[in-house]
Amino acid sequence: MSLISTKEMLLKAQREGYAIPAFNIHNLETIQVVLQAASDLKSPVILAATPSTVKYANENYLLSIIEKGSKLNDIPLTFHLDHHENVEDIKNIIKLGCKSVMIDASKYEFRKNVDIVKDVVDFAHEYGATVEAELGKLGGVEDDLKVDEKDSFLTDPNEAYEFVKLTGVDSLAVAIGTAHGLYKSEPKLDFERLEKIKSLVDVPLVLHGASGVPYEAVQTAIEKGICKVNIATELKIPFSNAIKEYFNENPNASDPRQYLVPAKHAMYDVVVEKIKMCKSENKANDNSYNI
Ligand code: 13P
């Protein structure tokens, strides 16, 4: 398969009551791990890159590696820009072949958020790319994106309805009580709010900040309309812990082909667990993707 937009993926997940897992990747190794796990479990998957990842790894390398990965793995897969704020960067990366982007203008007031998102939607659709936007604001830390808890706020369902109508956006990230990064205490999700949003908005809904959210809470959110689940922190921690452990046991080690292997294994196990949580296992294997 080649890289696809997230449109078919998310609409199929919405129809069938599961979610597409979106894993934040950073380099060749993390891309390999996610693709291996998704391929082993026959799950559609989204490989997501924040602006820091694009800056670190370069969009051309990322696209080439992931495009090659899509040919080697027979699963629906896409490369997605996560939390990008710079409209020109987004447009340039779409021109290179990226089929799925998030424009995050959630820090602006409603009208400005609408205008920025609409501009990206109009551009992206010309290239067959799909667009996610965010309404409401998640707290926490995701790379360079830092939102103090006091500045975060939940999505207003009526505004969500207006927002989707005015922008033509393909999917909507909603703030229902999750946050990016680690939680100080167990997050409580506002399912009533999610149900209200779902009753007013027909585009697939996205849950950010899924690391540390109990498995059952994520599955309830999926039952109530979440079709894409974003996971970053919970992959980074086992990856880096395994490297630390390797160096504790082998203080003179210097070969990345050795010390990265346990890191990949540790991350693989979490990716498998999260795919099962999203109920996307065995959803890659049918012919309903028109690609
Ligand atoms: P976590 O780091 O909390 O898993 O959040 C990931 C995310 O929402 C990426 O957009």
Side-chain angles (χ1 to χ4, degrees):
M1 282 187 184
S2 44
L3 295 188
I4 57 174
S5 85
T6 33
K7 193 167 181 110
E8 299 89 352
M9 273 192 196
L10 293 181
L11 289 175
K12 179 168 151 54
Q14 190 182 47
R15 280 194 305 276
E16 297 180 15
Y18 62 94
I20 308 291
F23 297 109
N24 284 79
I25 47 81
H26 308 104
N27 53 14
L28 172 67
E29 286 74 17
T30 52
I31 292 170
Q32 286 174 322
V33 170
V34 173
L35 286 186
Q36 187 65 54
S39 178
D40 290 348
L41 271 69
K42 300 184 174 37
S43 170
V45 75
I46 294 171
L47 301 175
T50 60
S52 313
T53 299
V54 170
K55 190 169 163 207
Y56 169 76
N58 182 290
E59 58 275 27
N60 290 290
Y61 282 122
L62 288 170
L63 263 164
S64 304
I65 294 169
I66 295 171
E67 245 160 29
K68 192 68 189 171
S70 75
K71 303 269 185 314
L72 296 173
N73 295 276
D74 194 19
I75 51 172
L77 130 79
T78 201
F79 170 55
H80 173 78
L81 299 182
D82 186 33
H83 288 292
H84 279 247
E85 297 185 353
N86 185 312
V87 170
E88 284 320 302
D89 286 351
I90 292 176
K91 290 181 177 176
N92 286 333
I93 299 174
I94 288 175
K95 281 190 207 156
L96 291 176
C98 176
K99 293 275 178 227
S100 179
V101 303
M102 175 191 193
I103 165 70
D104 184 357
S106 61
K107 66 182 179 195
Y108 298 112
E109 48 82 28
F110 182 83
R111 197 68 236 183
K112 186 159 180 193
N113 191 351
V114 166
D115 290 345
I116 294 171
V117 171
K118 173 99 177 64
D119 175 33
V120 174
V121 167
D122 289 346
F123 182 89
H125 285 180
E126 297 241 327
Y127 285 80
T130 41
V131 182
E132 172 184 328
E134 179 170 319
L135 191 66
K137 202 192 288 174
L138 261 72
V141 181
E142 188 72 51
D143 292 350
D144 294 334
L145 181 68
K146 296 183 184 70
V147 178
D148 211 80
E149 209 177 316
K150 66 172 174 22
D151 299 321
S152 66
F153 60 93
L154 302 183
T155 307
D156 178 288
N158 295 316
E159 278 194 356
Y161 170 78
E162 277 300 303
F163 188 82
V164 170
K165 202 170 63 163
L166 292 170
T167 56
V169 76
D170 301 289
S171 61
L172 184 68
V174 290
I176 55 164
T178 57
H180 290 120
L182 295 173
Y183 293 94
K184 291 189 200 103
S185 58
E186 190 177 300
K188 293 270 168 284
L189 304 201
D190 188 342
F191 294 122
E192 236 175 81
R193 183 178 298 268
L194 175 59
E195 278 175 332
K196 182 86 177 115
I197 298 168
K198 168 82 178 115
S199 73
L200 294 169
V201 165
D202 55 4
V203 297
L205 302 176
V206 179
L207 186 72
H208 281 246
S211 291
V213 180
Y215 206 94
E216 303 71 36
V218 173
Q219 292 201 331
T220 306
I222 293 169
E223 275 158 32
K224 293 183 185 299
I226 291 294
C227 307
K228 171 174 175 271
V229 173
N230 286 18
I231 304 140
T233 306
E234 262 191 277
L235 305 189
K236 285 196 257 186
I237 292 174
F239 190 88
S240 48
N241 280 350
I243 296 175
K244 288 177 210 164
E245 214 172 286
Y246 189 89
F247 277 107
N248 272 339
E249 285 165 15
N250 305 277
N252 297 322
S254 62
D255 188 337
R257 292 162 303 179
Q258 288 175 0
Y259 64 73
L260 288 172
V261 171
K264 289 172 79 174
H265 286 310
M267 186 173 153
Y268 176 92
D269 292 343
V270 182
V271 174
V272 165
E273 183 196 311
K274 298 299 177 188
I275 288 173
K276 291 184 174 169
M277 177 183 76
C278 287
K279 302 191 222 170
S280 61
E281 188 179 1
N282 287 326
K283 297 293 186 186
N285 257 5
D286 62 32
N287 50 14
S288 52
Y289 292 97
N290 285 332
I291 49 181

PDB file of all heavy atoms in Angstrom, residues 244-261:
ATOM      1  N   LYS A 244      18.614   3.117  29.439  1.00  0.00           N
ATOM      2  CA  LYS A 244      19.301   3.397  30.722  1.00  0.00           C
ATOM      3  C   LYS A 244      19.719   2.082  31.383  1.00  0.00           C
ATOM      4  O   LYS A 244      20.830   1.941  31.881  1.00  0.00           O
ATOM      5  CB  LYS A 244      18.362   4.176  31.656  1.00  0.00           C
ATOM      6  CG  LYS A 244      18.145   5.611  31.229  1.00  0.00           C
ATOM      7  CD  LYS A 244      17.150   6.285  32.163  1.00  0.00           C
ATOM      8  CE  LYS A 244      16.371   7.350  31.439  1.00  0.00           C
ATOM      9  NZ  LYS A 244      15.174   7.790  32.134  1.00  0.00           N
ATOM     10  N   GLU A 245      18.791   1.130  31.376  1.00  0.00           N
ATOM     11  CA  GLU A 245      19.076  -0.179  31.995  1.00  0.00           C
ATOM     12  C   GLU A 245      20.233  -0.866  31.277  1.00  0.00           C
ATOM     13  O   GLU A 245      21.125  -1.436  31.916  1.00  0.00           O
ATOM     14  CB  GLU A 245      17.820  -1.033  31.866  1.00  0.00           C
ATOM     15  CG  GLU A 245      17.571  -1.971  33.025  1.00  0.00           C
ATOM     16  CD  GLU A 245      16.198  -2.597  32.859  1.00  0.00           C
ATOM     17  OE1 GLU A 245      15.180  -1.902  33.096  1.00  0.00           O
ATOM     18  OE2 GLU A 245      16.149  -3.754  32.446  1.00  0.00           O
ATOM     19  N   TYR A 246      20.232  -0.764  29.950  1.00  0.00           N
ATOM     20  CA  TYR A 246      21.300  -1.409  29.176  1.00  0.00           C
ATOM     21  C   TYR A 246      22.662  -0.830  29.572  1.00  0.00           C
ATOM     22  O   TYR A 246      23.625  -1.553  29.773  1.00  0.00           O
ATOM     23  CB  TYR A 246      21.041  -1.209  27.672  1.00  0.00           C
ATOM     24  CG  TYR A 246      21.985  -2.019  26.815  1.00  0.00           C
ATOM     25  CD1 TYR A 246      21.664  -3.320  26.444  1.00  0.00           C
ATOM     26  CD2 TYR A 246      23.208  -1.503  26.396  1.00  0.00           C
ATOM     27  CE1 TYR A 246      22.528  -4.088  25.665  1.00  0.00           C
ATOM     28  CE2 TYR A 246      24.084  -2.251  25.636  1.00  0.00           C
ATOM     29  CZ  TYR A 246      23.730  -3.549  25.266  1.00  0.00           C
ATOM     30  OH  TYR A 246      24.606  -4.298  24.512  1.00  0.00           O
ATOM     31  N   PHE A 247      22.722   0.480  29.729  1.00  0.00           N
ATOM     32  CA  PHE A 247      24.005   1.110  30.076  1.00  0.00           C
ATOM     33  C   PHE A 247      24.393   0.840  31.531  1.00  0.00           C
ATOM     34  O   PHE A 247      25.581   0.776  31.838  1.00  0.00           O
ATOM     35  CB  PHE A 247      23.969   2.611  29.781  1.00  0.00           C
ATOM     36  CG  PHE A 247      24.255   2.902  28.342  1.00  0.00           C
ATOM     37  CD1 PHE A 247      23.253   3.298  27.474  1.00  0.00           C
ATOM     38  CD2 PHE A 247      25.543   2.751  27.834  1.00  0.00           C
ATOM     39  CE1 PHE A 247      23.510   3.541  26.140  1.00  0.00           C
ATOM     40  CE2 PHE A 247      25.809   2.985  26.484  1.00  0.00           C
ATOM     41  CZ  PHE A 247      24.797   3.383  25.636  1.00  0.00           C
ATOM     42  N   ASN A 248      23.389   0.659  32.394  1.00  0.00           N
ATOM     43  CA  ASN A 248      23.705   0.271  33.778  1.00  0.00           C
ATOM     44  C   ASN A 248      24.401  -1.076  33.790  1.00  0.00           C
ATOM     45  O   ASN A 248      25.370  -1.289  34.512  1.00  0.00           O
ATOM     46  CB  ASN A 248      22.426   0.164  34.617  1.00  0.00           C
ATOM     47  CG  ASN A 248      22.086   1.500  35.217  1.00  0.00           C
ATOM     48  OD1 ASN A 248      22.945   2.367  35.348  1.00  0.00           O
ATOM     49  ND2 ASN A 248      20.830   1.677  35.582  1.00  0.00           N
ATOM     50  N   GLU A 249      23.869  -1.988  32.958  1.00  0.00           N
ATOM     51  CA  GLU A 249      24.430  -3.344  32.936  1.00  0.00           C
ATOM     52  C   GLU A 249      25.671  -3.450  32.060  1.00  0.00           C
ATOM     53  O   GLU A 249      26.503  -4.322  32.253  1.00  0.00           O
ATOM     54  CB  GLU A 249      23.371  -4.326  32.415  1.00  0.00           C
ATOM     55  CG  GLU A 249      22.320  -4.616  33.464  1.00  0.00           C
ATOM     56  CD  GLU A 249      21.068  -5.277  32.889  1.00  0.00           C
ATOM     57  OE1 GLU A 249      21.110  -5.764  31.735  1.00  0.00           O
ATOM     58  OE2 GLU A 249      20.045  -5.269  33.597  1.00  0.00           O
ATOM     59  N   ASN A 250      25.782  -2.542  31.082  1.00  0.00           N
ATOM     60  CA  ASN A 250      26.928  -2.580  30.144  1.00  0.00           C
ATOM     61  C   ASN A 250      27.529  -1.175  30.045  1.00  0.00           C
ATOM     62  O   ASN A 250      27.389  -0.499  29.023  1.00  0.00           O
ATOM     63  CB  ASN A 250      26.471  -3.021  28.747  1.00  0.00           C
ATOM     64  CG  ASN A 250      25.733  -4.339  28.756  1.00  0.00           C
ATOM     65  OD1 ASN A 250      26.335  -5.396  28.757  1.00  0.00           O
ATOM     66  ND2 ASN A 250      24.407  -4.263  28.798  1.00  0.00           N
ATOM     67  N   PRO A 251      28.196  -0.722  31.117  1.00  0.00           N
ATOM     68  CA  PRO A 251      28.648   0.678  31.130  1.00  0.00           C
ATOM     69  C   PRO A 251      29.623   1.040  30.011  1.00  0.00           C
ATOM     70  O   PRO A 251      29.751   2.218  29.665  1.00  0.00           O
ATOM     71  CB  PRO A 251      29.310   0.823  32.504  1.00  0.00           C
ATOM     72  CG  PRO A 251      29.405  -0.532  33.083  1.00  0.00           C
ATOM     73  CD  PRO A 251      28.507  -1.440  32.341  1.00  0.00           C
ATOM     74  N   ASN A 252      30.269   0.049  29.411  1.00  0.00           N
ATOM     75  CA  ASN A 252      31.227   0.377  28.342  1.00  0.00           C
ATOM     76  C   ASN A 252      30.629   0.248  26.946  1.00  0.00           C
ATOM     77  O   ASN A 252      31.334   0.391  25.948  1.00  0.00           O
ATOM     78  CB  ASN A 252      32.469  -0.525  28.444  1.00  0.00           C
ATOM     79  CG  ASN A 252      33.201  -0.273  29.745  1.00  0.00           C
ATOM     80  OD1 ASN A 252      33.281   0.879  30.197  1.00  0.00           O
ATOM     81  ND2 ASN A 252      33.674  -1.330  30.383  1.00  0.00           N
ATOM     82  N   ALA A 253      29.319  -0.018  26.877  1.00  0.00           N
ATOM     83  CA  ALA A 253      28.698  -0.211  25.559  1.00  0.00           C
ATOM     84  C   ALA A 253      28.763   1.070  24.739  1.00  0.00           C
ATOM     85  O   ALA A 253      28.706   2.178  25.283  1.00  0.00           O
ATOM     86  CB  ALA A 253      27.242  -0.629  25.746  1.00  0.00           C
ATOM     87  N   SER A 254      28.858   0.910  23.418  1.00  0.00           N
ATOM     88  CA  SER A 254      28.867   2.104  22.568  1.00  0.00           C
ATOM     89  C   SER A 254      28.176   1.869  21.228  1.00  0.00           C
ATOM     90  O   SER A 254      28.115   2.768  20.400  1.00  0.00           O
ATOM     91  CB  SER A 254      30.308   2.557  22.316  1.00  0.00           C
ATOM     92  OG  SER A 254      30.993   1.530  21.629  1.00  0.00           O
ATOM     93  N   ASP A 255      27.638   0.675  21.024  1.00  0.00           N
ATOM     94  CA  ASP A 255      27.094   0.352  19.706  1.00  0.00           C
ATOM     95  C   ASP A 255      25.569   0.535  19.695  1.00  0.00           C
ATOM     96  O   ASP A 255      24.846  -0.237  20.320  1.00  0.00           O
ATOM     97  CB  ASP A 255      27.455  -1.108  19.373  1.00  0.00           C
ATOM     98  CG  ASP A 255      27.101  -1.456  17.936  1.00  0.00           C
ATOM     99  OD1 ASP A 255      26.220  -0.785  17.348  1.00  0.00           O
ATOM    100  OD2 ASP A 255      27.708  -2.401  17.406  1.00  0.00           O
ATOM    101  N   PRO A 256      25.084   1.536  18.954  1.00  0.00           N
ATOM    102  CA  PRO A 256      23.629   1.779  18.942  1.00  0.00           C
ATOM    103  C   PRO A 256      22.856   0.569  18.448  1.00  0.00           C
ATOM    104  O   PRO A 256      21.704   0.372  18.825  1.00  0.00           O
ATOM    105  CB  PRO A 256      23.441   2.973  18.002  1.00  0.00           C
ATOM    106  CG  PRO A 256      24.770   3.283  17.436  1.00  0.00           C
ATOM    107  CD  PRO A 256      25.820   2.486  18.134  1.00  0.00           C
ATOM    108  N   ARG A 257      23.468  -0.270  17.605  1.00  0.00           N
ATOM    109  CA  ARG A 257      22.763  -1.462  17.107  1.00  0.00           C
ATOM    110  C   ARG A 257      22.560  -2.474  18.217  1.00  0.00           C
ATOM    111  O   ARG A 257      21.805  -3.417  18.074  1.00  0.00           O
ATOM    112  CB  ARG A 257      23.541  -2.082  15.936  1.00  0.00           C
ATOM    113  CG  ARG A 257      23.533  -1.180  14.705  1.00  0.00           C
ATOM    114  CD  ARG A 257      24.614  -1.572  13.757  1.00  0.00           C
ATOM    115  NE  ARG A 257      25.919  -1.541  14.419  1.00  0.00           N
ATOM    116  CZ  ARG A 257      27.065  -1.863  13.819  1.00  0.00           C
ATOM    117  NH1 ARG A 257      27.077  -2.241  12.561  1.00  0.00           N
ATOM    118  NH2 ARG A 257      28.204  -1.802  14.481  1.00  0.00           N
ATOM    119  N   GLN A 258      23.285  -2.268  19.337  1.00  0.00           N
ATOM    120  CA  GLN A 258      23.046  -3.155  20.484  1.00  0.00           C
ATOM    121  C   GLN A 258      22.157  -2.474  21.527  1.00  0.00           C
ATOM    122  O   GLN A 258      21.166  -3.033  21.952  1.00  0.00           O
ATOM    123  CB  GLN A 258      24.382  -3.572  21.094  1.00  0.00           C
ATOM    124  CG  GLN A 258      25.095  -4.553  20.171  1.00  0.00           C
ATOM    125  CD  GLN A 258      26.479  -4.918  20.635  1.00  0.00           C
ATOM    126  OE1 GLN A 258      26.943  -4.444  21.654  1.00  0.00           O
ATOM    127  NE2 GLN A 258      27.145  -5.747  19.859  1.00  0.00           N
ATOM    128  N   TYR A 259      22.492  -1.242  21.903  1.00  0.00           N
ATOM    129  CA  TYR A 259      21.708  -0.662  23.008  1.00  0.00           C
ATOM    130  C   TYR A 259      20.305  -0.219  22.583  1.00  0.00           C
ATOM    131  O   TYR A 259      19.439  -0.028  23.428  1.00  0.00           O
ATOM    132  CB  TYR A 259      22.478   0.446  23.741  1.00  0.00           C
ATOM    133  CG  TYR A 259      22.829   1.703  22.963  1.00  0.00           C
ATOM    134  CD1 TYR A 259      21.869   2.641  22.616  1.00  0.00           C
ATOM    135  CD2 TYR A 259      24.162   1.961  22.628  1.00  0.00           C
ATOM    136  CE1 TYR A 259      22.209   3.792  21.930  1.00  0.00           C
ATOM    137  CE2 TYR A 259      24.513   3.122  21.943  1.00  0.00           C
ATOM    138  CZ  TYR A 259      23.537   4.027  21.591  1.00  0.00           C
ATOM    139  OH  TYR A 259      23.878   5.157  20.924  1.00  0.00           O
ATOM    140  N   LEU A 260      20.074  -0.099  21.270  1.00  0.00           N
ATOM    141  CA  LEU A 260      18.716   0.274  20.842  1.00  0.00           C
ATOM    142  C   LEU A 260      17.777  -0.934  20.724  1.00  0.00           C
ATOM    143  O   LEU A 260      16.561  -0.769  20.672  1.00  0.00           O
ATOM    144  CB  LEU A 260      18.769   1.035  19.514  1.00  0.00           C
ATOM    145  CG  LEU A 260      19.322   2.460  19.615  1.00  0.00           C
ATOM    146  CD1 LEU A 260      19.522   3.064  18.230  1.00  0.00           C
ATOM    147  CD2 LEU A 260      18.379   3.349  20.427  1.00  0.00           C
ATOM    148  N   VAL A 261      18.344  -2.121  20.707  1.00  0.00           N
ATOM    149  CA  VAL A 261      17.487  -3.312  20.533  1.00  0.00           C
ATOM    150  C   VAL A 261      16.526  -3.506  21.721  1.00  0.00           C
ATOM    151  O   VAL A 261      15.313  -3.635  21.510  1.00  0.00           O
ATOM    152  CB  VAL A 261      18.344  -4.572  20.249  1.00  0.00           C
ATOM    153  CG1 VAL A 261      17.480  -5.825  20.280  1.00  0.00           C
ATOM    154  CG2 VAL A 261      19.018  -4.424  18.892  1.00  0.00           C
TER     155      VAL A 261
END
